[in-house]
Amino acid sequence: MLNIVLFGPPGAGKGTQSAKLIEKYNLVHLSTGDIFRANIKNETELGVLAKSFMDNGKLVPDEVTINMLAAELDNYKQPKGFIFDGFPRTSAQAEALDALLATKNTSITLMLALEVEEDELRKRLLLRGADSGRADDMNPEVIQKRIDEYNAKTLPVKEYYQSQLKFKGINGLGNIDDIFSFLCNEIGM
Ligand code: ADP
């Protein structure tokens, strides 16, 4: 299996590149942000809980997120592989993911990290908010909170994969198709 973690701060372009990667490599796309938003839309119990964190730019608690992802993984019987988008976002999530994949006799192949500086992220997120109406992209304070959460809790996940020699950083500035070719080069197939 080809299991990729697509990593990067909010607004780095994970969603855009995931869409291209799943098409090329036939992978299952698991975006925890998308799953939370679907739950919010359907007004599930999980959605109500997640919304209270997301609206404030905070991470949803690990236990909730990990259980949700575990249930989601079980929906796919013989996948070619997964692309994890927005997960893992904490070291505890990274450890849980390794354990979950081990029970399925597989593991993470590679972490691909899209690197974009903060000023550019703030600009992109505000633009996306104006376009999509996504609440957490429309408020500069919430955007800053998400960037701060990323720096405090999510950046350490990079070291987790670095120590496993699975980390590859890619410049996330520039043309979407160029960035996509850099990602494909790293995947090497
Ligand atoms: P972005 O990467 O642009 O912030 P996402 O859609 O990935 O957008 O995430 C939106 C929000 O959903 C996050 O700010 C957070 O509140 C919540 N969320 C998504 N994934 C996770 C996760 N793995 N752990 C905790 N919270 C998460």
Side-chain angles (χ1 to χ4, degrees):
M1 278 171 73
L2 174 64
N3 296 313
I4 294 174
V5 173
L6 194 58
F7 190 72
K14 300 185 293 290
T16 306
Q17 295 296 337
S18 290
K20 297 173 77 72
L21 289 167
I22 53 170
E23 195 188 344
K24 172 158 178 171
Y25 297 103
N26 256 305
L27 304 173
V28 173
H29 182 210
L30 291 183
S31 158
T32 41
D34 285 352
I35 304 170
F36 284 134
R37 278 185 290 277
N39 275 277
I40 292 174
K41 197 166 162 225
N42 295 328
E43 299 179 341
T44 68
E45 206 178 313
L46 174 65
V48 174
L49 178 72
K51 188 175 186 322
S52 64
F53 293 92
M54 291 167 77
D55 282 352
N56 293 308
K58 311 255 288 182
L59 292 183
V60 178
D62 279 338
E63 203 195 333
V64 176
T65 307
I66 291 165
N67 288 340
M68 174 184 86
L69 190 96
E72 203 57 40
L73 275 179
D74 282 339
N75 288 335
Y76 301 94
K77 294 308 168 204
Q78 290 199 307
K80 283 206 165 163
F82 292 102
I83 177 149
F84 297 96
D85 165 1
F87 185 93
R89 258 178 155 98
T90 64
S91 303
Q93 291 181 13
E95 282 166 27
L97 180 59
D98 274 354
L100 276 170
L101 292 178
T103 67
K104 299 183 185 300
N105 296 315
T106 185
S107 60
I108 292 298
T109 315
L110 196 62
M111 165 180 267
L112 296 169
L114 292 170
E115 297 172 335
V116 178
E117 63 191 16
E118 282 188 22
D119 275 349
E120 172 70 15
L121 296 174
R122 279 187 277 268
K123 270 189 240 158
R124 287 186 186 181
L125 290 170
L126 281 171
L127 270 178
R128 185 167 79 185
D131 260 12
S132 69
R134 209 179 113 173
D136 62 346
D137 285 341
M138 293 171 71
N139 179 334
E141 274 168 35
V142 174
I143 289 176
Q144 192 55 47
K145 201 63 185 288
R146 281 155 63 206
I147 294 175
D148 293 345
E149 284 274 273
Y150 175 81
N151 288 329
K153 297 182 184 160
T154 306
L155 260 184
V157 175
K158 169 176 167 176
E159 284 156 37
Y160 183 88
Y161 290 96
Q162 266 170 336
S163 71
Q164 297 186 3
L165 307 178
K166 290 178 176 172
F167 176 87
K168 298 277 180 205
I170 278 110
N171 182 2
L173 269 188
N175 167 308
I176 290 174
D177 288 329
D178 290 344
I179 298 169
F180 180 59
S181 346
F182 294 139
L183 293 172
C184 296
N185 282 344
E186 292 297 351
I187 295 170
M189 45 189 274

